[in-house]
Amino acid sequence: MANLKAIRVRLSSVKSTRQITSAMKMVAASKLRRSQDAIVQLRPFAAKLEEILTGLNNALRDAETENIYAARKQTSGKVLIVVVTSNKGLCGAFNANVIREARRIMAEKYPEQAKRGDLWFITVGKKGNDLLKRLKCNILEEHSDLWSDLTYEKTAIMADRLITLYLSKEYDTIEIVYNQFKNAAVQKLTAEQFLPVTVAEKDTDDNGSADYIYEPDQVSIVRELIPKSLRIQFYKALLDSFAAEHGARMTAMHQATDNATELIRDLTLQYNKARQAAITNQLLEVVSGAEALNG
Amino acid sequence: MKIEIITPGSRVYSGDIQSVTVPGRKGSFQVLKDHAPIISTLDAGTVTLADEQGTVKHFEITGGLIEVKRNRIILLADAVRQS
């Protein structure tokens, strides 16, 4: 029979672990709610911008509008992947999934660039940064500090940086790999092309936009709106990843708490059995001792 | 007519108004009831609106976009500071 003291020590350690995991679960739940709110707040803005931009698509498709954000012919052969992970661990397979997807893209979509060393990464999140560093990938920049204060203004600066990298013809393609937030328990791993911009073909609603007065004119509005919508797209990706992280952590910690509870039950049972056995033993000793005296 | 002032982070203002003056790219202009549909980009500057009671409110924006359609105004601002 296992020794009583050992079980007691183990039991108390598991109990304190459960306390920690259940506290983390609650913290993650409240952070999740807040980050979900942020996504909901962004939605009307993003939807309206999208609507106006789609309405302006005609101007965008006109031959005379040179769209500097669209795919271009001369290429530098370099590809940039933005990998969005978290700064902290303890959230299940959240970060590992992103890295796995990034490596898959690397192997399947851009094998030549990877061989040439023309595949670069920008990381948001310490975990992904560490993992990619260990895999000896080319890391251009790390922006893990974004997570400490996730605001539109800050992400806009980084989105502008990405846009500059594209417009300066340094990179041909910029992709973002991140976890999209589905619900608290489900994250959808997403790889999205950030630049060049893919123009949605939409002819159905052509006259819907015709009766507007455009100021200054359609082309300049489109020119101004594209970077704006890119900033929004990037902000949305980060918000999604942030909410997904907390969702993943909440689920992981919920699991951990459940496991700890089960372990505690088993250990308590073992402890009680051991205690009972010890008492029986002691009783036997007393009785047989008395028996020996009487005999 | 109704106006909504939205930033990526929040809905700053929403309600019925009499008029609004915005810093358009080609110069500041005022929108009154039954204004023609318009989409205009906005420069940094002050948005001034008068609500139903005639109370005047000012918002500092850093740039944005306005859409007016059938007495519904939607103002997408990059960042807003109420002053």
Side-chain angles (χ1 to χ4, degrees):
Chain A
M1 196 49 86
N3 114 34
L4 268 180
K5 178 128 193 278
I7 300 179
R8 203 159 48 217
V9 170
R10 180 107 197 277
L11 197 60
S12 79
S13 115
V14 174
K15 270 187 183 156
S16 65
T17 304
R18 181 176 64 171
Q19 220 156 41
I20 293 168
T21 57
S22 86
M24 277 186 80
K25 180 189 150 193
M26 279 185 293
V27 171
S30 91
K31 281 194 179 161
L32 171 66
R33 194 150 357 104
R34 226 172 319 145
S35 43
Q36 254 178 301
D37 285 347
I39 293 179
V40 173
Q41 290 292 339
L42 177 65
R43 218 167 271 158
F45 190 97
K48 195 74 218 171
L49 198 62
E50 180 71 41
E51 187 193 315
I52 294 175
L53 204 55
T54 338
L56 282 167
N57 253 350
N58 298 336
L60 205 64
R61 256 181 287 148
D62 273 353
E64 66 213 274
T65 324
E66 202 200 341
N67 186 2
I68 48 170
Y69 300 99
R72 51 177 173 247
K73 291 196 181 73
Q74 304 105 316
T75 56
S76 65
K78 284 169 88 180
V79 171
L80 185 67
I81 299 180
V82 182
V83 174
V84 185
T85 56
S86 66
N87 271 352
K88 289 178 188 138
L90 290 177
C91 42
F94 181 84
N95 292 316
N97 282 344
V98 175
I99 299 301
R100 185 151 26 86
E101 177 70 8
R103 296 186 72 189
R104 193 187 64 75
I105 292 175
M106 205 168 139
E108 286 176 15
K109 217 168 160 187
Y110 305 112
E112 296 121 58
Q113 283 89 339
K115 218 178 287 162
R116 276 205 309 270
D118 277 346
L119 187 69
W120 288 79
F121 289 95
I122 284 185
T123 57
V124 184
K126 286 199 185 96
K127 290 288 162 188
N129 194 56
D130 293 350
L131 280 167
L132 286 177
K133 224 181 244 171
R134 213 170 307 144
L135 293 168
K136 305 236 173 339
C137 295
N138 303 327
I139 297 175
L140 186 66
E141 285 166 20
E142 185 194 349
H143 291 270
S144 300
D145 49 324
L146 271 179
W147 291 134
S148 52
D149 179 23
L150 187 61
T151 56
Y152 174 70
E153 287 75 23
K154 277 195 162 178
T155 53
I157 294 170
M158 191 183 155
D160 286 345
R161 166 99 183 107
L162 293 178
I163 294 170
T164 318
L165 281 176
Y166 180 78
L167 291 185
S168 66
K169 301 199 164 59
E170 212 164 315
Y171 292 93
D172 291 338
T173 311
I174 302 181
E175 297 213 21
I176 311 178
V177 183
Y178 68 102
N179 278 296
Q180 204 174 45
F181 178 79
K182 278 264 150 193
N183 57 49
V186 181
Q187 297 88 40
K188 190 172 158 242
L189 195 60
T190 313
E192 217 167 58
Q193 182 168 312
F194 185 66
L195 278 162
V197 172
T198 42
V199 181
E201 297 279 335
K202 205 179 178 189
D203 303 279
T204 44
D205 196 41
D206 268 2
N207 27 1
S209 56
D211 44 0
Y212 281 113
I213 305 168
Y214 291 99
E215 227 172 87
D217 57 89
Q218 295 203 359
V219 174
S220 351
I221 293 180
V222 168
R223 284 235 173 95
E224 200 168 318
L225 284 195
I226 289 176
K228 230 173 237 179
S229 96
L230 285 173
R231 274 178 224 134
I232 294 290
Q233 186 192 351
F234 188 66
Y235 183 49
K236 193 168 167 299
L238 287 187
L239 279 182
D240 256 335
S241 175
F242 198 56
E245 175 196 340
H246 293 305
R249 181 164 298 123
M250 196 177 94
T251 322
M253 288 301 113
H254 184 77
Q255 279 287 336
T257 310
D258 283 357
N259 289 346
T261 310
E262 196 150 311
L263 204 56
I264 287 170
R265 212 178 41 226
D266 287 353
L267 283 174
T268 316
L269 194 67
Q270 240 182 66
Y271 177 76
N272 286 343
K273 273 188 183 157
R275 197 175 62 100
Q276 216 166 19
I279 292 170
T280 317
N281 256 343
Q282 280 166 4
L283 270 178
L284 271 179
E285 271 166 35
V286 170
V287 171
S288 58
E291 202 80 343
L293 281 181
N294 287 343
Chain B
M1 74 188 164
K2 280 196 191 327
I3 189 167
E4 280 183 74
I5 302 178
I6 317 174
T7 68
S10 64
R11 180 170 313 226
V12 180
Y13 183 88
S14 130
D16 289 305
I17 54 162
Q18 289 175 358
S19 76
V20 60
T21 309
V22 293
R25 178 58 37 91
K26 284 195 342 198
S28 170
F29 64 92
Q30 186 177 40
V31 177
L32 290 160
K33 198 169 176 298
D34 294 324
H35 193 285
I38 183 171
I39 291 178
S40 171
T41 50
L42 303 178
D43 276 336
T46 315
V47 173
T48 310
L49 59 85
D51 66 12
E52 290 279 82
Q53 284 78 42
T55 320
V56 176
K57 289 194 174 76
H58 300 279
F59 298 91
E60 295 288 340
I61 64 167
T62 54
L65 181 77
I66 190 169
E67 183 204 47
V68 182
K69 191 165 88 183
R70 280 181 251 114
N71 287 327
R72 272 190 63 85
I73 305 169
I74 290 168
L75 202 161
L76 303 177
D78 295 337
V80 171
R81 197 160 44 86
Q82 188 165 9
S83 51

